[in-house]
């Protein structure tokens, strides 16, 4: 299992990812491939996104929802060529997601649909950091990375390891890739990348503080089955065609919430650092709950994410947070807290 951090410590590792690049082992994520001519219909019966409009090699962040409009997981679905959909979902939801997908596939198969699931045992490595990542990876590729835009995938040979799928995405806010690599050669590829002096191994602690600075949700903390896409500020994941058709799980609840405006919203919060070893913001005094928080290595302030009553959700609103039983002022802040560097091909 991947450690929380390595020798250089969490702070250095976090900043190294922002300034250079780091390698994360995210093999605990569930990787599934969906085959068959009804694969899009199958996927769209589970998620809110417009999967049918994805061009070959293009992916999207989408949400698995339940009939109450709650978020069962967030996942990335990529349209791989003419052949299959590639789905990456969270480790904490792997069993739930797989059961859900298998049950739905069986249901559709029984009704004569052509769809089948395959769970991949590939490892998954994330190389993250601007501007180093592209330079480091390009050295091991014959393909031109400059042509690969954010949320797009190619299958190629990486440093001599064939059959790797590179997706330009990640969880840090930096330019980065996730590389799905045949498990027998994953260690070889990781060692090759870590052989480059500017690539450091990074642990799960840096992954958490980097994603929070980038304003990205952690499933089970910031979004779960009790939060809806409208409350979570994730309505952008709903395809226009899907909104009109209202043909995704929980559509009636979610669309009613959009019309009436949700009663609470996910917001960013920032407060001055309360000493060097300041703990995360633990709770909001009145109008809401903190769902994630940490001292931001990049900003030297405490940052958090949480849900507040809609009346208090505007950026600039002053709230009170509690840290170690003491009260401190905090401001509702636009996210991302730190500018992102996702890459779009020119």
């Amino acid at each position: 299992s991947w450690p929380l951090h390595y020798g250089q410590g969490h702070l250095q590792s976090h900043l190294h990812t922002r300034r250079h690049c780091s390698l994360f082992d995210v093999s605990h994520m569930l990787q599934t491939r969906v085959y068959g001519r009804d694969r899009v219909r199958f996927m769209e019966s589970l998620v809110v996104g417009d999967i049918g409009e994805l061009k070959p090699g293009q992916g999207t962040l989408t949400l698995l929802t339940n009939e109450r409009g709650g978020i069962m997981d967030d996942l990335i679905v990529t349209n791989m060529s003419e052949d299959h959909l590639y789905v990456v979902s969270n480790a904490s939801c792997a069993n739930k997601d797989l059961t859900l997908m298998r049950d739905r596939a069986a249901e559709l198969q029984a009704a004569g649909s052509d769809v089948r699931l395959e769970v991949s045992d590939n490892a998954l490595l994330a190389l993250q950091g601007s501007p180093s990542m592209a330079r480091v990876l390009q050295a091991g590729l014959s393909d031109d990375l400059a042509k690969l835009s954010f949320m797009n995938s190619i299958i190629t040979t990486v440093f001599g390891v064939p059959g790797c799928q590179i997706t330009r995405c990640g969880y840090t806010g930096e330019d980065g890739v996730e590389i799905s690599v045949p498990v027998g050669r994953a260690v070889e590829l990781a060692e090759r990348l870590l052989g480059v002096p500017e690539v450091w191994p990074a642990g799960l602690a840096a992954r958490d503080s980097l994603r929070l600075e980038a304003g990205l949700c952690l499933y089970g903390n910031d979004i779960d089955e009790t939060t809806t896409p409208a409350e979570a500020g994730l309505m952008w994941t709903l395809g226009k065609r899907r909104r009109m058709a209202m043909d995704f799980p929980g559509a009636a609840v979610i669309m009613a919430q959009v019309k009436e405006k949700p009663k609470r919203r996910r917001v960013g919060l920032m407060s001055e650092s309360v000493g060097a070893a300041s703990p995360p913001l633990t709770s909001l005094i009145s109008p809401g709950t903190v769902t994630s928080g940490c001292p931001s290595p990049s900003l030297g302030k405490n940052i958090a994410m949480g849900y507040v009553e809609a009346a208090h959700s505007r950026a600039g609103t002053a709230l009170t947070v509690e840290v170690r039983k003491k009260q401190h002022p905090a401001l509702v802040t636009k996210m991302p807290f730190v500018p992102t560097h996702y890459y779009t091909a020119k």
Side-chain angles (χ1 to χ4, degrees), residues 129-182:
S130 335
S132 301
M133 181 285 296
R135 192 170 58 246
V136 168
L137 192 61
Q138 189 61 72
L141 285 186
S142 52
D143 304 78
D144 183 4
L145 263 184
K147 295 197 173 105
L148 188 67
S149 271
F150 182 57
M151 294 306 286
N152 281 266
S153 274
I154 50 170
I155 293 177
T156 186
T157 298
V158 186
F159 287 105
V161 179
C164 292
Q165 180 175 334
I166 299 178
T167 307
R168 201 151 197 167
C169 69
Y171 198 42
T172 61
E174 296 303 326
D175 183 19
V177 291
E178 287 181 356
I179 307 169
S180 179
V181 52

Side-chain angles (χ1 to χ4, degrees), residues 216-260:
L216 301 171
C217 293
L218 172 62
Y219 191 83
N221 285 43
D222 310 301
I223 46 174
D224 59 29
E225 293 191 25
T226 70
T227 55
T228 68
E231 295 170 333
L234 294 172
M235 286 303 293
W236 60 271
T237 61
L238 272 76
K240 196 179 271 179
R241 170 173 65 84
R242 308 299 310 276
R243 287 183 197 225
M244 301 299 292
M246 288 185 60
D247 58 351
F248 52 89
V253 179
I254 293 165
M255 296 316 291
Q257 248 186 19
V258 172
K259 212 149 93 208
E260 292 147 22

Side-chain angles (χ1 to χ4, degrees), residues 69-82:
I71 301 170
M72 296 181 72
D73 196 8
D74 60 321
L75 34 106
I76 291 178
V77 178
T78 305
N79 174 20
M80 293 309 291
S81 70
E82 300 310 302

